[in-house]
Amino acid sequence: MTSLTNKDKATVKAFWAKMAGKADEVGAEALTRLVAVYPQTKTYFAHWTDVSPGSAPVKKHGITVMNGVADAVSKIDDMKGGLLTLSELHAFTLRVDPANFKLISHCILVVLAIMYPTEFTPEVHVSMDKFLAALALALAEKYR
């Protein structure tokens, strides 16, 4: 995996500042896409009353996911250390297969490209992709 350069970090922070006001919307749409495109991910949410794409619980968890992404942006210089509690939660309590972190990352990228067609330049795309890959790696830290 390619590490985040200082330029990548600056690009991620600048783009996040532009889109942070719509992070809830991005998260809701990304999780809706996740359960629609990758229906096997619904197994983690079997306790919800409605797991259909666009349902209230799906949208709500999308917001939770983006709150985690926001936390990662604020801890971009030490995501492994800064997100250790979140890694432990996903590894030991929720027992989420870390492959799913890549799936939600892809869905987030797709939604960002749709919602921000002008701002989501190739440079931003590369930096956000690297950032989300680093975030997935940080979340998978406790699986080792």
Side-chain angles (χ1 to χ4, degrees):
M1 183 187 100
T2 308
S3 61
L4 289 168
T5 64
N6 286 334
K7 185 176 180 184
D8 289 324
K9 292 175 185 179
T11 300
V12 168
K13 288 177 184 177
F15 182 71
W16 186 262
K18 290 179 186 175
M19 56 84 45
K22 290 194 176 187
D24 289 358
E25 191 178 331
V26 170
E29 180 60 27
L31 209 76
T32 290
R33 283 179 176 275
L34 180 74
V35 298
V37 178
Y38 306 104
Q40 71 273 19
T41 60
K42 291 180 183 181
T43 61
Y44 295 102
F45 311 113
H47 59 284
W48 291 352
T49 55
D50 186 2
V51 188
S52 62
S55 68
V58 169
K59 288 180 177 181
K60 182 180 177 193
H61 191 65
I63 293 167
T64 301
V65 167
M66 291 309 283
N67 286 337
V69 174
D71 192 30
V73 171
S74 73
K75 296 172 179 170
I76 199 166
D77 291 317
D78 181 24
M79 284 193 280
K80 282 185 183 178
L83 301 176
L84 201 54
T85 302
L86 202 54
S87 176
E88 290 172 345
L89 172 69
H90 283 83
F92 304 131
T93 305
L94 302 175
R95 299 191 184 273
V96 175
D97 181 340
N100 290 299
F101 303 143
K102 293 179 183 179
L103 300 179
I104 189 64
S105 294
H106 176 73
C107 292
I108 291 168
L109 288 173
V110 169
V111 172
L112 292 174
I114 291 168
M115 289 182 65
Y116 298 92
T118 304
E119 297 91 343
F120 199 72
T121 63
E123 178 185 54
V124 170
H125 185 162
V126 168
S127 294
M128 287 300 296
D129 189 31
K130 288 168 65 176
F131 165 73
L132 290 171
L135 172 53
L137 189 63
L139 288 176
E141 181 66 20
K142 280 297 175 177
Y143 289 81
R144 301 165 205 243

